[in-house]
């Protein structure tokens, strides 16, 4: 048994059972210029990649929106991750948005290495071919954003990749899914409750 | 009356009344290597700055943690903001963390320009001298992180500043304050509820 499988929850059979109980959210195309709607709140995301016949998934909380159009996002992908080389070599990834339903999957993905296991298989996740990039989408997630490398100027110094979101698919419901926001130390904050202050905004600031 | 004062809530007297009703959180020093605890969840923040005798505050949702030590954070500060030049020229700012108690202040700060008003005075906010940088802290916020410019390599191309957090002050309670996470369109998600999965983490991944 690989050293990383320290916990009973890292068990393929449990995850496959969970998966059968969940319906996959039905997704529609979504404007790439509006992905800030899902990423600006700062959720933990699952980043999927493919290099030749191998896929991988990592959890990631260090990301920011950078521009509406082109739709640019910055991701800090530590070079210690197995995904780093796959994404560096292909210049492609998919940013997937998990909801709280996938909390245990998020934790399991973040505590295992793609060098040792096939995370799609191990955790009962369904990979869907990307339409614009080679990397796979994760069907069980609320949204998936296909990304192509836009600028690697800060990859050497900070492991900071700037991607362009070239295709977005989002579930229509729920409108405001509960998302996970990582604080470190094994603790997530949950977002979902909404406050609207729309009437207090100047129209050009919305 | 300046054109930006479109709404009755942008009124100094209202904000001053609110302020008298709030006790300022008592803050303590906090390790700069652990600011991810507050920033990784992706809250909207108030960024304060000073250029000579003028101070300013802007709301900002496009930021990411980049490194634990040195404590690096990346901020996308659009060059259209009055704060841009102040921060560009001084290489300093303070990232302040507002809680939901300050929702109306966050909205008001984001819908006004420091070119026209003194936001500290207008919104009844208390400025506290920074101990490591020239920029002022906002007393009413839950946490304040004093930042010094670390790398401006991407400022020209993306308005993306990399700062080092050189001093952190955080309120001891509440441990998990309700924070605001902006989605665009005048709508914030609220984080505050906690899920702990600490027991499922490998120790080195915490």
């Amino acid at each position: 048994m690989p050293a990383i499988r320290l916990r009973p929850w890292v068990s393929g059979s449990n995850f496959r059972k969970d998966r059968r109980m969940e319906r996959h959210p039905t997704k529609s195309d979504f404007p790439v210029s509006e992905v800030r709607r899902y990423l600006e709140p700062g959720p933990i995301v699952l980043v999927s990649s493919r290099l030749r016949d191998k896929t991988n998934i990592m959890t990631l909380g260090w990301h920011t929106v950078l521009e509406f159009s082109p739709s640019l996002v910055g991701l800090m992908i530590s070079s210690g991750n197995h995904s780093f080389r796959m994404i560096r070599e292909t210049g492609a990834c998919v940013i997937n948005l998990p909801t709280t339903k996938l909390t245990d999957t998020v934790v399991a993905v973040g505590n295992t290495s793609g060098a040792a296991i096939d995370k799609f298989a191990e955790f009962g996740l369904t990979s869907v071919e990307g339409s614009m990039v080679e990397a796979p989408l994760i069907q069980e997630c609320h949204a998936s954003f296909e990304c192509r490398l836009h600028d690697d100027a800060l990859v050497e110094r900070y492991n900071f990749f700037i991607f362009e979101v070239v295709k977005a698919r989002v579930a229509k419901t729920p409108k405001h899914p509960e998302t996970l926001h990582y604080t470190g130390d094994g603790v997530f904050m949950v977002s979902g409750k909404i406050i609207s202050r729309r009437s207090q905004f100047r129209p050009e600031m919305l």
Side-chain angles (χ1 to χ4, degrees), chain A:
Chain A
M1 186 185 285
I4 48 157
R5 296 178 65 181
L6 294 175
R7 300 279 180 274
W9 49 256
V10 186
S11 145
S13 58
N14 284 347
F15 277 89
R16 274 189 287 277
K17 191 165 60 189
D18 288 350
R19 181 188 146 206
R20 279 199 304 271
M21 292 161 59
E22 294 291 349
R23 289 232 304 269
H24 300 162
T26 308
K27 295 187 197 70
S28 315
D29 286 352
F30 185 82
V32 292
S33 61
E34 294 175 25
V35 299
R36 70 93 69 101
R37 161 76 186 77
Y38 296 96
L39 295 180
E40 181 169 339
I44 202 90
V45 294
L46 296 174
V47 176
S48 46
S49 54
R50 180 195 309 279
L51 179 61
R52 290 179 283 275
D53 61 338
K54 300 283 188 194
T55 60
N56 198 22
I57 313 173
M58 68 176 291
T59 57
L60 186 138
W62 292 10
H63 59 81
T64 182
V65 181
L66 289 171
E67 185 55 274
F68 291 109
S69 187
S71 176
L72 300 182
V73 294
L75 272 62
M76 191 286 194
I77 300 173
S78 174
S79 58
N81 284 286
H82 188 66
S83 295
F84 178 89
R85 194 175 65 87
M86 299 173 67
I87 295 171
R88 187 81 182 98
E89 216 166 294
T90 60
C93 70
V94 178
I95 300 172
N96 303 275
L97 179 68
T99 63
T100 47
K101 287 180 187 171
L102 291 174
T103 304
D104 289 328
T105 305
V106 165
V107 174
V109 166
N111 280 271
T112 49
S113 170
I117 57 168
D118 172 343
K119 296 195 193 182
F120 275 99
E122 189 74 21
F123 305 128
L125 296 169
T126 312
S127 96
V128 177
E129 290 296 309
S131 63
M132 301 278 283
V133 302
E134 284 297 299
L137 286 63
I138 303 173
Q139 174 91 320
E140 286 76 5
C141 285
H142 185 81
S144 293
F145 306 128
E146 297 180 40
C147 295
R148 196 173 283 151
L149 186 63
H150 179 81
D151 194 329
D152 67 356
L154 292 193
V155 170
E156 289 293 315
R157 254 181 292 174
Y158 301 103
N159 297 328
F160 187 69
F161 294 75
I162 298 179
F163 290 104
E164 179 179 355
V165 179
V166 291
K167 174 88 178 171
R169 300 272 298 164
V170 175
K172 290 215 165 169
T173 58
K175 191 172 176 196
H176 297 289
E178 277 197 341
T179 50
L180 295 161
H181 301 253
Y182 193 53
T183 72
D185 208 34
V187 174
F188 299 88
M189 297 172 78
V190 175
S191 271
K193 195 178 115 185
I194 292 300
I195 293 179
S196 178
R197 288 289 188 279
R198 201 173 198 287
S199 63
Q200 296 179 1
F201 274 66
R202 292 153 61 203
E204 70 274 22
M205 300 303 288
L206 284 170

